[in-house]
Amino acid sequence: GSHHVVGTQVSMDEAVNLYLQCGIQGRAHGTKVVLSILSNEDNDDALAYEASLAAARLQDPEVPNISLILGEIGSYSRILNPRFTPVTHECLPSVAAPGQLTAAEIMAGKLLMKQLAVERYGILGHNIAYSVSPEMQGSAFAAVKLPHTYTRCDVETVEEFVEGPIWNDDDFGGCSVTIPHKQNIIPHLDVLTDAAKEIGSVNTVIVKKDKKGTRVLIGDNTDWKGMYNPLQRLVGDDVAKGKKEGGGKQYALILGGGGTARAAAYTAAKLGLERIYWNRTPEKAADLAKEFGGIVAGNLGNNAEVEGSLGAILAQEEGDVKVVISTLPKAAEFTLPEWMLADAASLPVVLDVNYKPYNTPLLLQVVEKGCNVVRGSEMLWEQGAGQFELWTGRTAPYGVMKKVVLENCLPGEEEEK
């Protein structure tokens, strides 16, 4: 519900009652109450905000409130209001309504009035000088006018980090986690999300406060979202159509056996694809099959007569490979067997998790054959956007994050040669 009081000033009790009426006994999804004040001698520009807080304590269930004061005299109410504040922009010739502020002015005001804490974030890993995350997340914070910091935390052991100053700072807001610490961080967390539990690794730590104000450390995994989102856009409709029409099984071929391969297996399941695993260490592939379901390919050959070969598995199940997800390191210089790329009508979508170099031997091979690809750089900004939203509760500035990643990952002229 929404209500505007124009030209007259109501009392605190009357303002609280307006919020309660607009809440429609908890049935409203939100309330907006805009008040007028005649002067600001008694800090009346906080009237709407204070009334919204008082109303929230009386609402069951609590309804999100928007609280504003009309006119220039009410500008401060736009800093106090916690959600959906109407804003203007620096490029506009004039404001749409007296008292409107830009997003930058509101965020600066919140910081000045200590309504917004400067939080510390970082990426936890080892040998991570190559990481683009500090530039990506730092640019994202700047784009939405958040004053937070994001740094590299390069340590050999997780214990060095959790015993250090950032983890134990009251302003610690969370961190990204990369190799080799995605499993080792888990014992230091209070709660794991369902995705983190099933995948068995954490790439995101989020800090929340419980009702008593005690810090709660939550482990999540957005790696799978970094894979799922672009793959869903490319094959989601085809997978759904194939299931509806019946026929042979649709597979994801997952290459590698580490923590990222676990996220790949989880992603494939979410896409509705059966899983085939291949790794140079067969035992690791077998562990994935046991935990996530699927079949281990002993080799990637096409001979249907060789038991355990990829060709034999596909022939037996009358299936085809819709997606290839390679989690192999760039040093492996892996390429697919040519028979998998021979039929132009049934080429797989190929995702390579490596974002440096931008063009791996695998990607160069499959692009030449006409496959749709998802590069590691795309996975990076997709999973990074997921982290940003978990930390801040705000929509990620997707375009900004994508631009920063591409600026850091696109090959230069010398590399292209």
Side-chain angles (χ1 to χ4, degrees), residues 247-251 276 295 297 299 301-321 339:
K249 291 185 177 180
Q250 303 174 94
Y251 286 98
I276 299 175
I295 306 169
N299 64 74
N302 190 29
N303 190 341
E305 302 300 320
V306 177
E307 184 178 355
S309 71
L310 178 59
I313 293 169
L314 295 177
Q316 181 178 347
E317 301 293 340
E318 296 183 351
D320 65 314
V321 176
W339 70 267

Side-chain angles (χ1 to χ4, degrees), residues 19 30-35 45-53 56 63-70 74-87 99-103 105-111 113 115-116 394:
Y19 281 105
T31 68
K32 179 182 179 183
V33 174
V34 182
L35 303 177
D45 52 1
L47 172 62
Y49 176 66
E50 292 172 356
S52 74
L53 296 180
V63 177
N65 295 320
I66 301 170
S67 50
L68 301 172
I69 301 289
L70 286 170
S75 291
Y76 180 52
S77 71
R78 298 173 185 273
I79 296 172
L80 289 173
N81 181 58
R83 59 182 66 83
F84 299 122
T85 305
V87 296
Q100 273 193 349
L101 303 173
T102 65
E105 289 171 328
I106 289 174
M107 297 303 285
K110 286 181 179 292
L111 188 60
M113 302 304 296
Q115 295 173 14
L116 187 65
R394 297 167 178 264

Side-chain angles (χ1 to χ4, degrees), residues 5 15 27 93 132 135 180 202 210 239 301-302 310 333 414:
V5 177
R27 298 195 303 275
V132 179
E135 291 84 359
V202 165
D210 63 16
V239 172
N302 190 29
L310 178 59
E333 297 191 343
E414 291 301 316

Side-chain angles (χ1 to χ4, degrees), residues 132 135-137 139-140 143 233 358 377-385 396-410:
V132 179
E135 291 84 359
M136 177 179 67
Q137 298 292 2
S139 296
R233 290 192 287 266
Y358 185 76
S377 52
E378 185 171 359
M379 176 185 166
L380 176 63
W381 73 67
E382 286 280 358
Q383 64 83 29
Y398 188 91
V400 170
M401 300 176 84
K402 176 179 178 180
K403 180 174 182 289
V404 170
V405 170
L406 289 177
E407 286 174 348
N408 283 271
C409 293
L410 283 172

Side-chain angles (χ1 to χ4, degrees), residues 93-166:
S94 61
V95 298
Q100 273 193 349
L101 303 173
T102 65
E105 289 171 328
I106 289 174
M107 297 303 285
K110 286 181 179 292
L111 188 60
L112 186 65
M113 302 304 296
K114 300 187 184 301
Q115 295 173 14
L116 187 65
V118 179
E119 296 176 354
R120 300 179 71 180
Y121 296 86
I123 178 167
L124 168 63
H126 188 46
N127 296 326
I128 52 173
Y130 67 88
S131 176
V132 179
S133 291
E135 291 84 359
M136 177 179 67
Q137 298 292 2
S139 296
F141 288 144
V144 300
K145 314 302 180 187
L146 286 170
H148 307 331
T149 62
Y150 188 103
T151 58
R152 283 183 182 83
C153 306
D154 193 325
V155 292
E156 287 190 23
T157 68
V158 167
E159 286 69 29
E160 291 177 69
F161 183 63
V162 301
E163 293 169 5
I166 295 178

Side-chain angles (χ1 to χ4, degrees), residues 4-15 18 34-48 50 69-70 73:
H4 286 57
V5 177
V6 181
T8 184
Q9 183 167 336
V10 299
S11 68
M12 172 65 77
D13 288 343
E14 289 171 320
L18 287 173
V34 182
L35 303 177
S36 297
I37 58 174
L38 303 179
S39 72
N40 197 26
E41 294 178 0
D42 298 316
N43 296 321
D44 288 340
D45 52 1
L47 172 62
E50 292 172 356
I69 301 289
L70 286 170
I73 198 172

